[in-house]
Structure formats: structure tokens, C-alpha cells
Amino acid sequence: MSGRTRPEAEQAEDTRPQAVLATADGVMPGDQSLVSSQRLEEELSGHLPALAELPARGHHATLRGRAIAMLAELPAELTSYGWRLVDRPGADHRRAVQLLRADVDTLADVRGARAEDGGDDQPAELVLHLLGPVSLAAKLALPGGEKLLVDHGARRDLADSLAAGAAEHLAHVRRSCAPAALRVVLLEPDHQRVRTGSVPTVSGYRTIRALPRDETRRMIGVVVESLRAAGADEVLLDLGEAPLLEHVEDHRAPTGTRVDGFGLPVPALTTGDWERVAGLVEEGTRFHAGLLRSVPRSMQETPQVSVLARRLSEPWQALGMPSSSLAALSVTPLASAARDQLAAVSETDALRLVSRTRNAAEALTDQMTA
């Protein structure tokens, strides 16, 4: 890469904190919210703790269940084929709302206790993982049973409802947990399938017509704008793949709604992907980098700290990027496509992955300051 001396790029780099920070993927095994919150806060002290998500408690406690809980005036219930919209809130909807609110309140209690014990000198930042509207539309059904994705008006209403509900969720988090900064990762694992018309109907006999680019941009933009208005300090869009030119044009353009950056599945990146990432970093874009493709079968198969750190530092050096610009990347154990795998491992192994990722972030910081 060449031409890395643009004044605006240097200014963007100068204002970044000169450290690579680690965070968690959010998903934790087991069903004890208090224990998971305590462990993540301890492991990521000085870094970026995340609100724990415990899918072992059932569909109400998954990423999708949390999104359902946030929907404003769009209640849903569980059926044999998943969640569907209904006329009025029932037991399933109330359960999802209850679990989400309880998880936030539990984290607030944990942070309060740590502050009283002197465990935290200052409020910690916090990462929230939210399912985006495009992927939610691909998973949620209309009252009649077909996926909401088939209905233009329903898609618009869903995005507006999620935007309003996510804003209320952020307000609750800010009141309860008082984070020093609030970073939101908006996950869109089905974005590519929706854009290419690869999402099957409920029957499975055909696929749903591809959504046009301007509509997916609008759906995501409505939620991002709401998150900004609710006080999110940073919003990153994780599409499950390296950002393409289309994604950059849609969500990092000088005009319109902009995210701060993108998710990054590090093991899947090509040389061309790294070149695009480097150019975006020069322009002030931030990244949420998943270091592993999947959960290792055993901790003995997990790459050592030095190997994990080199997965970022080597391509960076090969492109001639200054080591200081690595601060534009926060690191997390897994690429987002594999985050659900953490629900099936032991708590010890899940925390070891977080710890090793944290150590890799600190090794990268040492390289930056050497």
C-alpha cells in the first residue's frame, strides 16, 4: 500500500487510544447470569467487557430472543418453526423481556459490587451485541406463518420497532450500568443471504426474493441512527464477512447514516481484504476482529498468544502500516459466525479463550509502544 501520509488519516490515528483492546463474543455457557457477568468483568478488566448472553436458558435468552424482547409494540411467541408475530404479548414475549432486563440488572449489581470492593478505579466500557433488522426479518415469521421477509410493509415496521426498542435497551443499560462508553456490535449474519435471495420460505420449497440494496441500507440505517441518538459511543456492523465495497459505500459514505466500522473474520481474510481494511483504517474506520474460525476441540489446539497476535501484526507489517494504527482494531476470540459455539463448551474453556485473546491484545499493544 502507498500514499499513507494523508493529513486526515494522521489526524484520525492521533486521536485513537494507543492500545489494542480485547472483548468477548458475548455468548457464555451455562445458565448463571451472575457468575458469567462476574467472570467476564474480571477477565476483561481494563479492556471491553460484554453483556453476557446465555443461550442454555432457552430460545428466550438467545441473540434472537433478545431482539424479540426489544421490539416495540410488536410482540411475538414461540412456535414449532420459531418466533412469529402475534397480536398481544404472551408468556414467551414476557419471558424474553424479563431475561434481558434481569441480565442488565445483574451486570449492574456486579459492577456496583466491584466498585465498592475497589476492583474498578473507574467505570468500565461495555460492549452490547444486537441482532440487526435484516437478519431478524429473515428469522421472524408473520402471524400467518410465512417469514416476515416477504412483506415490504412488515419489514419497514420491524426496523422501526427494533430501532425504538434498542434505544430503550441502551437507556436501561446506561442508567443501570453507567458504562464509561457504550459500544454496540450490530450483527447481521443473514445479510448476504437476504441480498442474494438465498433465504428459504417456511416450507423450504422456494427462496424469498432478494431485497434491494437500498432497502437493506435503510433498515440498518434506521437502527444505527436510533442507537446514536440513544447514546451509543460506537456502532460496528458485523456482516459475517470482510467488508466489501458495497458495504463501505452503504454504511461509511460521507453522507447518510454511518457506522464506525465493521466486524472482521480474521482467519478468512485474503490479501485483498487486508488491503481494503488498511485503507479504511487510514480513513478512521474501526474494526472488531475475530481471531479464530471456530472453537478449538481442546485448549491444547488453541493457538498460543504469539500466534494470535501475529494474525494481525504480520499482514499489517506486510502492507507497511504503522504499528500504532493497530489500535483501530479491537479483538475477540471468534469470528461472529462461530459465536454460538461458545454455548456448548465449558465455562473454563470459554474464559480461557477470552483470557488468551486479552493477552494477544496486550502483546500487540506492547509491539505498538516498543
Side-chain angles (χ1 to χ4, degrees):
M1 300 285 287
S2 60
R4 303 192 179 281
T5 58
R6 288 176 292 181
E8 64 270 22
E10 294 175 350
Q11 182 178 3
E13 287 184 3
D14 290 343
T15 60
R16 296 179 188 133
Q18 293 303 297
V20 177
L21 299 179
T23 186
D25 297 291
V27 175
M28 288 290 287
D31 58 5
Q32 300 298 312
S33 179
L34 177 61
V35 173
S36 293
S37 296
Q38 289 172 333
R39 298 292 185 266
L40 286 179
E41 291 289 306
E42 292 167 2
E43 290 292 337
L44 291 167
S45 178
H47 287 265
L48 301 172
L51 179 66
E53 175 190 325
L54 284 74
R57 295 178 299 180
H59 294 290
H60 308 83
T62 63
L63 185 70
R64 195 185 314 171
R66 284 186 166 179
I68 296 295
M70 291 179 207
L71 292 177
E73 300 181 1
L74 281 181
E77 67 177 8
L78 274 171
T79 69
S80 60
Y81 50 82
W83 290 94
R84 71 168 180 179
L85 296 179
V86 290
D87 292 334
R88 59 183 60 86
D92 288 323
H93 187 88
R94 289 192 292 271
R95 173 68 171 158
V97 171
Q98 177 190 35
L99 284 173
L100 179 57
R101 292 192 65 85
D103 287 345
V104 174
D105 293 340
T106 296
L107 178 58
D109 291 341
V110 169
R111 291 195 162 198
R114 284 177 61 84
E116 290 177 3
D117 294 340
D120 284 322
D121 296 331
Q122 57 187 4
E125 298 187 23
L126 182 63
V127 175
L128 300 178
H129 298 84
L130 273 62
L131 183 62
V134 175
S135 296
L136 182 56
K139 299 295 188 183
L140 182 60
L142 295 165
E146 189 50 84
K147 290 182 179 177
L148 184 146
L149 195 60
V150 303
D151 188 305
H152 174 77
R155 296 192 299 265
R156 181 188 62 244
D157 291 346
L158 179 72
D160 293 342
S161 174
L162 183 60
E168 291 184 9
H169 175 56
L170 260 65
H172 180 209
V173 170
R174 281 206 170 276
R175 287 193 306 269
S176 303
C177 303
L182 197 51
R183 305 185 183 211
V184 178
V185 180
L186 194 63
L187 294 159
E188 283 284 7
D190 291 302
H191 184 272
Q192 179 66 8
R193 295 203 308 151
V194 170
R195 285 283 295 114
T196 57
S198 304
V199 177
T201 59
V202 169
S203 68
Y205 292 123
R206 61 184 181 88
T207 57
I208 298 170
R209 186 181 62 180
L211 257 62
R213 178 177 171 181
D214 60 346
E215 184 173 357
T216 57
R217 179 174 61 239
R218 184 261 173 198
M219 292 174 70
I220 292 172
V222 166
V223 175
V224 172
E225 287 178 0
S226 183
L227 293 171
R228 296 274 193 218
D233 297 282
E234 180 175 286
V235 180
L236 301 181
L237 178 60
D238 193 322
L239 299 163
E241 61 181 333
L244 304 175
L245 179 59
E246 172 183 316
H247 305 147
V248 176
E249 291 175 345
D250 287 351
H251 304 291
R252 285 287 295 170
T255 59
T257 302
R258 287 164 54 93
V259 297
D260 295 288
F262 299 96
L264 208 59
V266 171
L269 299 186
T270 65
T271 299
D273 293 331
W274 278 114
E275 290 175 347
R276 189 178 306 112
V277 168
L280 289 168
V281 165
E282 287 185 318
E283 297 168 0
T285 305
R286 299 188 62 80
F287 288 93
H288 185 77
L291 297 179
L292 297 172
R293 188 183 304 273
S294 61
V295 171
R297 286 177 294 182
S298 69
M299 283 307 295
Q300 287 70 30
E301 296 183 14
T302 304
Q304 295 300 311
V305 169
S306 59
V307 174
L308 291 176
R310 286 200 298 272
R311 290 187 176 183
L312 296 181
S313 62
E314 287 186 347
W316 222 236
Q317 293 168 358
L319 291 168
M321 291 289 286
S323 59
S324 60
S325 62
L326 282 169
L329 282 65
S330 57
V331 294
T332 190
L334 297 173
S336 61
R339 66 189 298 272
D340 289 345
Q341 296 176 13
L342 289 167
V345 306
S346 69
E347 182 185 78
T348 298
D349 283 350
L351 291 171
R352 282 175 178 166
L353 285 173
V354 174
S355 175
R356 192 157 294 185
T357 302
R358 181 201 64 215
N359 292 340
E362 293 173 353
L364 288 165
T365 297
D366 290 342
Q367 293 180 28
M368 288 167 47
T369 57

